[in-house]
């Protein structure tokens, strides 16, 4: 059983990635279930986001878990209501502070996004990175303020900060998207194999590894985890999720 907890569909810098392309690449790579958000969100194409999720659900049924990527504009324009009035059952919320810096410096806005997840009892995913606006510790106040909320630090960056957050708070999970398998193993060895879930970030790979198909890229990710981490840990990382039971 393999769950890819970090998947995208839609418009991106390199063009369009259709629901069919994504679902076929994932299943061909051996993935059973996906948690997926749409990059079309960043172009504020909300109707297209809804259509993509409907199509993904048609293709994968209960094996497809929609994650709602929220932008500051979606909140300010109140178009967020439209996303929840659609028939999509959103199973998580995502924000991306590198794409939208406001999340890192506008508490009222970020709290509003977080409270949507709290109210709906769904996890809250934050893209983390080396840029200070998206550092794992940039959002530390929220981990402390909302102990009942499950936070997912996508990419777990910077490594040492993410590790410190794991040590300090028990409502943190890290996804392995774009993370070196050796770093995943370092989290395991530090005592947190249960706090790591598998994510591929497909099809963003197309931007960085042009020669590899998305299917091959996901397969390689799975292979690297199995190669670098003991079977007990790697199989649990590959099959775990916090987005659904
Ligand atoms: Zn991503």
């Amino acid at each position: 059983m393999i769950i890819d907890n970090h998947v995208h569909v839609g418009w991106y810098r390199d063009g369009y990635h259709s629901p069919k392309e994504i679902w076929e690449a994932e299943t061909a790579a051996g993935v059973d279930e996906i948690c997926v958000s749409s990059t079309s969100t960043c172009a504020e194409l909300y109707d297209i986001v809804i259509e993509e999720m409907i199509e993904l659900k048609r293709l994968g049924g209960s094996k497809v878990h929609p994650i709602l990527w929220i932008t500051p504009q979606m909140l300010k324009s109140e178009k967020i209501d439209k996303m929840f009035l659609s028939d999509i059952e959103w199973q998580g919320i995502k924000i991306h502070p590198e794409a939208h810096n406001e999340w890192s410096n506008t508490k009222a806005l970020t709290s509003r996004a977080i409270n949507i997840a709290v109210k709906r009892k769904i996890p809250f995913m934050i893209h983390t990175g080396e840029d200070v606006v998206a550092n794992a510790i940039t959002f530390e106040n929220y981990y402390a303020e909302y102990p009942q909320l499950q936070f997912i630090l996508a990419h777990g960056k910077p490594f040492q900060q993410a590790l410190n957050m794991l040590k300090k708070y028990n409502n943190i999970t890290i996804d392995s998207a774009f993370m070196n398998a050796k770093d995943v193993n370092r989290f395991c060895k530090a005592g947190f194999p249960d706090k790591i879930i598998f994510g591929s970030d497909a099809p963003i790979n197309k931007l960085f590894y042009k020669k590899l198909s998305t299917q091959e890229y996901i397969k390689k990710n799975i292979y690297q985890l199995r190669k670098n981490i003991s079977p007990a840990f790697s199989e649990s990382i590959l099959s775990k999720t916090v987005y659904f039971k």
Side-chain angles (χ1 to χ4, degrees):
M1 168 74 157
I2 300 180
I3 299 170
D4 189 341
N5 288 281
H6 192 145
V7 181
H8 297 296
V9 65
W11 285 105
Y12 198 59
R13 278 179 258 166
D14 61 336
Y16 191 69
H17 298 279
S18 72
K20 184 167 182 283
E21 173 196 329
I22 300 309
W23 182 243
E24 286 180 356
E26 292 281 348
T27 49
V31 171
D32 298 286
E33 304 200 23
I34 62 170
C35 302
V36 54
S37 60
S38 173
T39 40
S40 303
T41 313
C42 290
E44 315 292 345
L45 299 169
Y46 311 136
D47 288 326
I48 290 178
V49 172
I50 291 170
E51 280 168 29
E52 288 162 345
M53 291 302 164
I54 289 171
E55 180 59 8
L56 274 166
K57 289 295 279 183
R58 194 187 67 77
L59 290 164
S62 61
K63 294 173 175 171
V64 168
H65 306 275
I67 308 297
L68 178 61
W69 187 330
I70 295 186
T71 63
Q73 194 179 319
M74 190 190 286
L75 278 186
K76 290 179 204 162
S77 67
E78 307 295 337
K79 293 273 167 57
I80 182 93
D81 295 345
K82 180 198 198 103
M83 307 313 279
F84 283 107
L85 285 170
S86 71
D87 285 335
I88 312 297
E89 189 200 328
W90 301 103
Q91 291 179 266
I93 300 289
K94 166 182 180 150
I95 62 166
H96 196 307
E98 274 175 23
H100 305 102
N101 294 356
E102 277 177 276
W103 297 126
S104 69
N105 55 33
T106 314
K107 190 169 192 291
L109 197 67
T110 308
S111 298
R112 212 181 135 194
I114 287 176
N115 276 304
I116 292 169
V118 170
K119 186 176 151 212
R120 294 180 176 266
K121 297 190 169 69
I122 53 178
F124 192 83
M125 187 236 256
I126 304 173
H127 162 99
T128 65
E130 301 295 336
D131 190 323
V132 68
V133 296
N135 280 176
I137 60 165
T138 302
F139 297 88
E140 179 171 359
N141 290 343
Y142 300 105
Y143 317 150
E145 195 178 334
Y146 298 90
Q148 305 307 324
L149 179 62
Q150 177 66 236
F151 288 90
I152 296 103
L153 306 186
H155 319 292
K157 288 195 170 53
F159 177 86
Q160 195 54 50
Q161 283 190 17
L163 181 59
N164 289 343
M165 294 302 98
L166 281 178
K167 287 178 180 165
K168 220 167 152 183
Y169 303 97
N170 61 17
N171 55 339
I172 305 277
T173 297
I174 284 171
D175 86 30
S176 70
F178 280 125
M179 192 187 291
N180 190 305
K182 294 205 167 96
D183 279 342
V184 179
N185 200 29
R186 283 166 75 201
F187 280 120
C188 293
K189 291 205 159 146
F192 299 99
D194 297 341
K195 297 290 192 173
I196 314 294
I197 56 176
F198 169 59
S200 71
D201 221 340
I204 307 304
N205 51 287
K206 290 307 280 178
L207 220 58
F208 304 100
Y209 311 101
K210 292 196 170 62
K211 284 182 185 154
L212 224 53
S213 71
T214 296
Q215 173 193 335
E216 287 164 331
Y217 173 76
I218 301 164
K219 266 191 179 160
K220 198 174 156 195
N221 264 248
I222 296 167
Y223 170 79
Q224 290 291 347
L225 285 175
R226 286 181 166 149
K227 188 179 152 200
N228 287 283
I229 301 167
S230 74
F233 290 164
S234 62
E235 293 315 307
S236 131
I237 288 168
L238 286 165
S239 63
K240 218 168 348 98
T241 187
V242 289
Y243 291 106
F244 58 95
K245 297 264 185 293

